């Protein structure tokens, strides 16, 4: 593993690449976007083909019993600003595979990335992992083609497994959804199929700064890399980059030890009372079904809607499905601070109704700000004002990135990393060093999907 960690560190500083330079990549990607696409057209909920609404319950299910179900959830969170509510939620108990192949070419480590269209992507084509497939997809419930490169992740006996861990997805929209995040290193020849490209980690890091380009599934896998940013850092104006790189090293001490962080998370999970139960969709309160959507009475949060999809460059060419359409653009802000010369991130242990184990570490701020116009003032996130009013001089990363486009329609979040000088303290938050977050990512259900994206973004600042 030491060798692969070194290769990853070197690849993070390689932005030239051995297969494509970045201008060639953008030309390749633009050409592919002209022939690989999904076109989603909103349709009435009753026009879904292969899906039906369960009589007496209102749940929306697939005729195969696979894929996912849109049902309701009743949530009790005593002591919260909103102590009880009901909402629609996606129940998809199967575990999918998100995997990136890595291979060395002429001494330089490359990642095999896929240009993949999704019906919910606001811009059609985005860069995804080598494999991005639910169990229903890769067992071909949809009757489509085989998933390319899947065998590298289902049988790893001939290869080196760099990372292999189950991670959660959005706990506000999914009920206990997990995916297997994998990184597999290969030495044998790998056929380069249409729609795929080899990029260095440094190139992928540069592309993270492009709005809506690196998709959510790629970002969560990237965060699981055993990363160290040390080495080959020099030049004026790179002080912050140097601090980030040093703080990714496993020997750098933080304000809290790893044991203290684990005990804090365990304590939060133990003392936070969350009661959830799945209920029929027609029992959710304050939500109303119309011809085209299931909508909250305030018009906020999200809608459940339906689309008909025409696709090129996918395993299946046409289908219909329900989707969640979020209201507004989300905000995921990570406040960071140098403490004794070591960069620390201010993370929160947050409970979400869909989490399997009560709470996970989240960014400092994670919300859709406009939603709080219709919620009690006490529900307004701590440090939200600090995040939205941060001066440009303190912002270290800033990009609008899409969430998962297979279940959500045009879901976009502004991801921002902000350096602060304030000595912020709160019992629900802790200052942690980036390498401590990476250590937690070796285990399931400690770092949520938004924070994992920000880990990948933080690593990108060393490239």
């Amino acid at each position: 593993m030491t060798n692969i960690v070194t290769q990853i560190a070197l690849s993070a500083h390689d932005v030239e690449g051995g297969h494509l330079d970045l201008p060639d990549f953008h030309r390749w990607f633009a050409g592919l976007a002209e022939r690989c696409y999904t076109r989603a057209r909103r349709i009435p909920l009753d026009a879904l083909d292969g899906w039906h609404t369960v009589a007496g319950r209102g749940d929306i299910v697939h005729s195969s019993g696979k894929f996912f179900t849109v049902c309701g959830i009743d949530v009790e969170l005593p002591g919260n600003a909103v102590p009880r509510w009901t909402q629609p939620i996606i129940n998809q108990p199967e575990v999918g595979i998100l995997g990136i192949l890595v291979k060395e070419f002429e001494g330089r480590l490359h990642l095999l990335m896929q240009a993949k269209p999704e019906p919910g992507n606001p811009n059609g084509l985005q860069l995804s992992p080598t494999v991005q497939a639910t169990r229903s997809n890769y067992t071909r419930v949809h009757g489509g083609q085989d998933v390319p490169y899947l065998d590298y992740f289902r049988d790893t006996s001939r290869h080196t497994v760099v990372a292999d861990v189950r991670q959660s997805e959005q706990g506000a929209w999914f009920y206990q959804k997990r995916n297997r995040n994998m990184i597999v290193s290969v030495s044998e020849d790998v056929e380069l199929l249409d729609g795929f490209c080899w990029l260095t980690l440094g190139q992928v890091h540069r592309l993270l700064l492009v709005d809506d380009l690196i998709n959510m599934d790629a970002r969560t896998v990237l965060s699981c890399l055993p990363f160290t940013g040390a080495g080959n850092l020099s030049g004026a104006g790179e002080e912050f980059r140097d601090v980030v790189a040093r703080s990714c090293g496993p020997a750098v001490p933080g304000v809290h030890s790893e044991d203290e962080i684990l005990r804090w998370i365990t304590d939060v999970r133990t003392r936070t009372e969350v009661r959830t139960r799945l209920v029929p969709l027609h029992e959710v309160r304050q939500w109303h079904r119309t011809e085209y959507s299931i909508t909250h009475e305030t018009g906020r949060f999200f809608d459940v809607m339906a689309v008909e999809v025409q696709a090129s460059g996918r395993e299946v060419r046409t289908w219909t499905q329900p989707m969640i359409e979020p209201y507004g653009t989300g905000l995921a802000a990570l406040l960071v601070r140098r403490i004794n010369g070591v960069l620390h991130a201010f993370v929160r242990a947050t409970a979400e109704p869909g989490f399997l184990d009560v709470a996970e570490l989240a960014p400092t701020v994670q919300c859709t700000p406009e939603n709080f116009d219709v919620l009690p003032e006490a529900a307004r996130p701590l440090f939200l004002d600090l995040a939205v009013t941060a001066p440009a001089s303190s912002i270290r990363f800033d990009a609008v990135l899409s969430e998962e486009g297979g279940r959500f329609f045009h879901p976009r979040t502004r991801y921002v990393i902000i350096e602060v000088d304030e000595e912020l303290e709160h019992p629900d938050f802790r200052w942690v060093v980036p390498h401590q977050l990476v250590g937690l990512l070796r285990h399931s259900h400690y770092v949520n999907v938004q924070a994992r994206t920000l880990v990948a973004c933080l690593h990108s600042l060393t490239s």
Side-chain angles (χ1 to χ4, degrees), residues 148-168:
Y149 303 109
L150 179 65
D151 288 345
Y152 287 100
F153 301 93
R154 299 192 73 181
D155 179 8
T156 61
S157 57
R158 303 191 318 277
H159 316 299
T160 300
V161 177
V162 180
D164 187 2
V165 61
R166 298 203 305 179
Q167 299 290 6
S168 64

Side-chain angles (χ1 to χ4, degrees), residues 47-105:
L48 285 165
D49 182 24
W51 300 78
H52 65 277
T53 299
V54 178
R57 290 186 59 89
D59 299 350
I60 302 173
V61 304
H62 193 262
S63 57
S64 67
K66 304 293 185 179
F67 296 108
F68 61 92
T69 297
V70 182
C71 58
I73 189 170
D74 189 313
V75 183
E76 292 183 70
L77 193 56
N80 193 48
V82 181
R84 186 173 184 181
W85 73 91
T86 58
Q87 65 169 81
I89 200 163
I90 293 176
N91 184 17
Q92 187 175 7
E94 62 187 34
V95 177
I97 293 176
L98 307 177
I100 294 179
L101 279 186
V102 298
K103 178 177 168 59
E104 189 176 344
F105 293 97

Side-chain angles (χ1 to χ4, degrees), residues 400-419:
V400 177
L401 302 172
S402 298
E403 305 304 331
E404 200 266 340
R407 302 292 177 264
F408 311 134
F409 189 75
H410 293 185
R412 306 180 80 220
T413 301
R414 181 189 176 204
Y415 284 93
V416 59
I417 297 173
I418 304 166
E419 187 173 14

Side-chain angles (χ1 to χ4, degrees), residues 438-449:
V438 173
L440 290 172
L441 282 168
R442 295 175 56 204
H443 308 281
S444 300
H445 311 141
Y446 277 105
V447 183
N448 80 354
V449 68

Side-chain angles (χ1 to χ4, degrees), residues 96-387:
I97 293 176
L98 307 177
I100 294 179
L101 279 186
V102 298
K103 178 177 168 59
E104 189 176 344
F105 293 97
E106 299 178 355
R108 292 183 285 184
L109 194 72
H110 287 67
L111 291 69
L112 185 60
M113 307 299 291
Q114 177 183 183
K116 188 177 181 70
E118 293 281 5
N121 289 347
N123 58 337
L125 201 65
Q126 294 189 11
L127 210 56
S128 78
T130 316
V131 167
Q132 174 185 316
T134 66
R135 183 174 180 83
S136 292
N137 287 144
Y138 67 73
T139 58
R140 300 177 62 194
V141 173
H142 50 44
Q145 301 171 0
D146 290 332
V147 176
Y149 303 109
L150 179 65
D151 288 345
Y152 287 100
F153 301 93
R154 299 192 73 181
D155 179 8
T156 61
S157 57
R158 303 191 318 277
H159 316 299
T160 300
V161 177
V162 180
D164 187 2
V165 61
R166 298 203 305 179
Q167 299 290 6
S168 64
E169 295 206 10
Q170 285 87 350
W173 298 335
F174 276 120
Y175 181 69
Q176 298 184 359
K177 178 71 171 69
R178 288 97 69 204
N179 275 321
R180 187 177 183 180
N181 289 228
M182 301 181 71
I183 300 166
V184 174
S185 176
V186 298
S187 57
E188 64 190 45
D189 290 339
V190 177
E191 181 184 4
L192 185 61
L193 301 177
D194 186 36
F196 292 79
C197 67
W198 291 104
L199 297 172
T200 66
L201 182 56
Q203 290 175 316
V204 174
H205 281 167
R206 292 291 174 89
L207 296 174
L208 266 173
L209 282 166
V210 181
D211 288 357
D212 298 319
L213 181 53
I214 305 291
N215 82 354
M216 184 200 81
D217 295 315
R219 301 191 306 263
T220 180
V221 179
L222 289 170
S223 73
C224 296
L225 283 166
F227 190 87
T228 172
N232 297 335
L233 295 174
S234 62
E238 295 182 340
E239 181 190 4
F240 184 78
R241 191 178 88 164
D242 194 24
V243 170
V244 175
R246 289 200 309 271
S247 304
C248 290
V252 178
V255 171
H256 304 286
S257 70
E258 293 179 5
D259 285 345
E260 289 172 334
I261 293 168
L262 287 170
R263 285 197 298 271
W264 168 60
I265 296 170
T266 299
D267 180 65
V268 171
R269 288 173 170 175
T270 302
R271 59 183 167 83
T272 301
E273 186 178 3
V274 182
R275 294 189 291 269
T276 62
R277 63 185 181 95
L278 296 178
V279 298
L281 190 54
H282 69 198
E283 290 186 9
V284 296
R285 302 178 295 276
Q286 297 180 298
W287 295 78
H288 306 290
R289 178 164 174 160
T290 66
E291 180 182 5
Y292 282 89
S293 65
I294 300 171
T295 303
H296 193 265
E297 62 184 16
T298 63
R300 302 299 175 93
F301 309 114
F302 61 85
D303 290 351
V304 178
M305 43 88 81
V307 295
E308 178 185 68
V309 183
Q310 300 291 329
S312 173
R314 291 284 303 231
E315 296 91 350
V316 178
R317 296 301 181 88
T318 182
W319 71 91
T320 65
Q321 67 171 91
M323 302 193 83
I324 280 182
E325 182 180 23
Y327 173 86
T329 299
L331 173 66
L334 186 66
L335 303 186
V336 298
R337 178 171 172 256
R338 306 180 206 197
I339 303 175
N340 299 324
V342 177
L343 196 73
H344 287 66
F346 201 45
V347 296
R348 181 175 189 173
T350 297
E352 295 185 28
F355 283 161
L356 186 66
D357 198 358
V358 182
E360 297 185 13
L361 296 187
T364 318
V365 177
Q366 175 188 309
C367 67
T368 300
E370 295 88 346
N371 286 337
F372 295 96
D373 295 342
V374 298
L375 290 173
E377 180 62 28
R380 187 172 177 83
L382 294 168
F383 310 111
L384 174 58
D385 292 337
L386 184 59

